[in-house]
Amino acid sequence: MSPAFHAAARALLADPLTNKGTAFTNEERETFGLHGLLPPHVGTLDSQIERRMRALEGMKDDFHRYAFLRELQDSNEVLFQALVQRDLPRMLPLVYTPTVGEGCERFSEIWRRPRGLFLSYPNRDRIADILADPALDRVKVIVVSDGERILGLGDQGAGGMGIPIGKLALYTACAGIHPAEVLPILIDVGTDNAARREDPLYVGWRNPRIRGAEYDAFMESFVAAVADRFPGVLLQWEDFAGKNAYDLLERYRGRLLSFNDDIQGTAATAVGTLLSAIRRTGTPLTEQRVVLFGAGAAGSGVAELLVRAMMADGLAEAEARARIWAVDRDGLVLSDIPRLPPQQQALAHDPADIVDWTRTGANAIGLLDTVANVRPTVLIGASGQMGAFGEGVIRAMAAGVAQPVIFPLSNPISRAEAHPADLLAWTDGRAIVGTGSPFGVAGVTQVNNVYIFPGVGLGALASGAREVTDGMFMAAARALGALGGEGATLLPPITRLREVALHIAVAVARQALVEGVATVDPETLTREAIAAGMWEATYP
Ligand code: NAI
């Protein structure tokens, strides 16, 4: 064998996209010169899964399982995906929320091999060069974060890369996007998390965050380079903080096929689950009274989609807004509060609306007073504040409604507004509960974006959409709500996520056609055609 042949054999094993490990057949070993590099046993995908499962179960905690799965992904993509897809309810919490939270916090500790791209501020003039890599020729889906608001865990700097990696693993697992077609990107503009910067192991750029005009210019060159290099790519903005999340979405949604998962994906997930819930309670959407705790990206996104859904069901915009109340860190969101962020201005109530409220104190109106006066049928938490839905609040809510719908959406588990078992106890089992992360409590629905983003992405790509419209998210929400759940839960079980993604993709693609943003021939846009394009985790 020539030196080049030897090198090619090693490269085959080193590339997670081509490596089959012990599953290389004898014939393949012969052809590619792999004899000797592998032990003589020829295995199967099943036997490899069995081996990894045993190793996984022998580990001491989920964080180590997470690290183990990350390494597996970096050594053999098919095996990693086959393992994840074989037992999604077991694997999802390991590769995604809640464990991915710790994965981001301790990212530097478990750094092993490169995956995706780190576009750091000092490399701002090299973005086009970095993207020019021919290994990226097939990229169709990018998930990008700047690591500033990772789940409810705040600024994790470069460690935020755990999120794009995790989300894209789910794009492959649920929407069948080929692993060579996904690209996680971490925009490293520094971190304001001093603990990270001072950690000698920290792998990111040790600098306070770049902000303002310099940040904007950097993001502009990023978007321009992406649009130039990957025409038609779908880009998902993920875990950007506050104002940046809105600004980036609005600035670029017309230029790149893109959406913000925290704002729009959460909205469709929560609204879809709510639609499923109200089929149970029998009270129409137009008669619901909703209190949102935490009106940031997720909370306000949910509110806006709810307004849209209520309007589609016949309410005027003002009537819809009158049914939704937001509480944020300064209390009830009222229009006379100075410097309200724009997304909260849209949700603010007039102080005149509350003149006859009973109040427990003279200060800002908190959640308890809001609940006592609004008597909500639905309470949604997106605040990242653990325990914010205390017993007093929940009992006050439960006093006014037969089946309170309560969704503490914040992730990870350490940030959830309530433990679902408490919500059930305080409402004598009457509450219909959905949580962002899995708690393993029977009858509780996991209300997580994983029900929406893979399907939205797949539908947008399949239809060749020029834009991901709000109408496409509404279609996704309705499609999700229509699926309903099994037993007491509101959504299909995690085992059916692939089917859910396909179902949503079909609805999203049809909506793209209706709105005139699709570019493919409508005749080709069938459920079967979309399903046929979904990659399966099997060896070639
Ligand atoms: P964000 O930072 O944009 O919003 C958080 C909001 O909560 C802000 O408006 C903040 O002022 C408010 N807040 C903070 N402390 C508060 C307090 N003591 N009382 C009332 N409000 C307070 O973050 P984002 O993107 O909206 O996410 C919020 C949470 O929702 C996170 O924990 C995130 O993990 C979770 N989330 C869950 C999703 C799911 O699929 N279940 C999807 C997206 C987000």
Side-chain angles (χ1 to χ4, degrees):
M1 287 200 292
S2 68
F5 195 65
H6 279 291
R10 285 194 184 274
L12 198 64
L13 295 176
D15 183 348
L17 287 167
T18 54
N19 183 26
K20 296 166 71 168
T22 57
F24 275 112
T25 62
N26 271 322
E27 202 186 351
E28 287 166 337
R29 294 173 192 214
E30 191 68 42
T31 312
F32 301 119
L34 302 173
H35 285 302
L37 292 177
L38 293 165
H41 163 77
V42 175
T44 61
L45 187 54
D46 280 336
S47 67
Q48 290 178 310
I49 291 175
E50 169 68 22
R51 183 179 297 117
R52 299 297 174 143
M53 272 299 201
R54 270 200 222 171
L56 197 72
E57 294 312 336
M59 305 202 137
K60 69 173 184 198
D61 60 28
D62 282 352
F63 173 69
H64 287 88
R65 294 187 182 99
Y66 169 84
F68 174 82
L69 287 167
R70 279 286 304 107
E71 288 209 63
L72 177 59
Q73 185 181 19
D74 288 344
S75 75
N76 184 335
E77 297 255 18
V78 170
L79 177 52
F80 167 76
Q81 279 292 336
L83 186 71
V84 167
Q85 292 178 40
R86 182 129 335 164
D87 190 356
L88 274 173
R90 170 84 181 106
M91 295 299 156
L92 211 63
L94 298 178
V95 299
Y96 185 55
T97 187
T99 317
V100 69
E102 197 173 351
C104 290
E105 289 175 309
R106 298 171 65 182
F107 186 82
S108 296
E109 195 184 312
I110 56 167
W111 167 264
R112 298 287 182 275
R113 290 174 63 165
R115 168 168 291 264
L117 298 177
F118 290 85
L119 301 179
S120 63
Y121 194 71
N123 283 327
R124 61 191 173 282
D125 297 328
R126 300 193 179 98
I127 298 177
D129 277 350
I130 295 169
L131 296 185
D133 181 354
L136 307 178
D137 282 353
R138 292 177 61 187
V139 168
K140 280 189 185 162
V141 184
I142 291 172
V143 175
V144 61
S145 180
D146 72 356
E148 189 173 6
R149 199 242 65 209
I150 293 302
L151 305 170
L153 302 169
D155 188 349
Q156 300 300 327
M161 182 56 133
I163 295 291
I165 290 175
K167 294 267 174 178
L168 286 166
L170 300 183
Y171 261 107
T172 301
C174 304
I177 309 291
H178 191 288
E181 295 173 351
V182 303
L183 178 62
I185 296 183
L186 191 284
I187 300 283
D188 188 352
V189 287
T191 175
D192 289 345
N193 184 332
R196 295 288 165 274
R197 276 202 319 260
E198 285 154 21
D199 176 357
L201 292 185
Y202 181 59
V203 295
W205 183 45
R206 285 161 206 271
N207 205 78
R209 271 184 188 275
I210 298 294
R211 298 192 182 276
E214 289 165 322
Y215 178 85
D216 291 346
F218 185 46
M219 294 311 291
E220 173 63 33
S221 33
F222 165 68
V223 168
V226 166
D228 188 46
R229 171 69 167 99
F230 307 113
V233 77
L234 173 78
L235 181 141
Q236 175 169 324
W237 302 102
E238 194 68 51
D239 285 7
F240 284 79
K243 193 172 171 306
N244 287 339
Y246 287 94
D247 290 353
L248 292 167
L249 174 64
E250 289 315 321
R251 204 176 301 147
Y252 296 119
R253 66 186 294 181
R255 257 171 74 185
L256 274 182
L257 179 66
S258 55
F259 67 92
N260 180 298
D261 187 40
D262 303 298
I263 301 172
Q264 299 164 290
T266 312
T269 311
V271 171
T273 316
L274 185 57
L275 292 175
S276 173
I278 64 179
R279 269 208 316 276
R280 291 264 162 91
T281 64
T283 309
L285 187 63
T286 50
E287 289 172 27
Q288 302 289 333
R289 291 180 305 277
V290 180
V291 169
L292 281 161
F293 185 71
S300 60
V302 172
E304 292 306 325
L305 197 64
L306 264 178
V307 168
R308 206 184 158 97
M310 286 179 174
M311 288 170 68
D313 286 358
L315 292 189
E317 181 173 351
E319 291 171 324
R321 292 193 183 277
R323 296 195 155 269
I324 300 170
W325 300 78
V327 178
D328 205 82
R329 58 172 82 237
D330 295 325
L332 181 65
V333 175
L334 292 170
S335 55
D336 62 353
I337 295 178
R339 291 180 298 280
L340 274 186
Q343 77 273 13
Q344 292 186 7
Q345 285 169 20
L347 297 175
H349 276 255
D350 195 307
D353 296 348
I354 61 156
V355 279
D356 53 359
W357 277 26
T358 50
R359 295 169 62 166
T360 48
N363 298 332
I365 301 170
L367 181 60
L368 182 59
D369 279 347
T370 304
V371 165
N373 286 281
V374 172
R375 296 158 52 88
T377 53
V378 180
L379 175 62
I380 297 176
S383 64
Q385 301 302 304
M386 183 175 82
F389 293 174
E391 183 168 355
V393 166
I394 298 305
R395 287 198 185 276
M397 180 181 181
V401 51
Q403 284 182 289
V405 176
I406 311 175
F407 295 165
L409 296 184
S410 292
N411 295 324
I413 282 174
S414 61
R415 302 297 154 126
E417 284 81 5
H419 194 291
D422 288 335
L423 297 176
L424 291 169
W426 298 331
T427 59
D428 308 313
R430 286 184 287 129
I432 297 180
V433 180
T435 57
S437 293
F439 280 82
V441 176
V444 170
T445 306
Q446 191 183 346
V447 188
N448 193 285
N449 295 13
V450 68
Y451 278 101
I452 287 287
F453 71 80
V456 167
L458 182 60
L461 286 173
S463 59
R466 279 188 298 267
E467 193 185 327
V468 191
T469 65
D470 293 338
M472 286 154 77
F473 276 100
M474 193 68 245
R478 289 200 189 281
L480 180 64
L483 283 175
E486 288 174 4
T489 57
L490 303 169
L491 297 177
I494 296 288
T495 46
R496 287 175 52 203
L497 277 179
R498 229 173 137 91
E499 216 180 301
V500 171
L502 177 60
H503 173 78
I504 288 174
V506 172
V508 166
R510 286 198 182 128
Q511 183 66 22
L513 282 176
V514 169
E515 292 188 38
V517 296
T519 57
V520 301
D521 176 0
E523 299 289 310
T524 64
L525 212 49
T526 61
R527 183 188 171 90
E528 292 65 34
I530 297 176
M534 290 168 75
W535 179 78
E536 305 273 348
T538 51
Y539 288 126

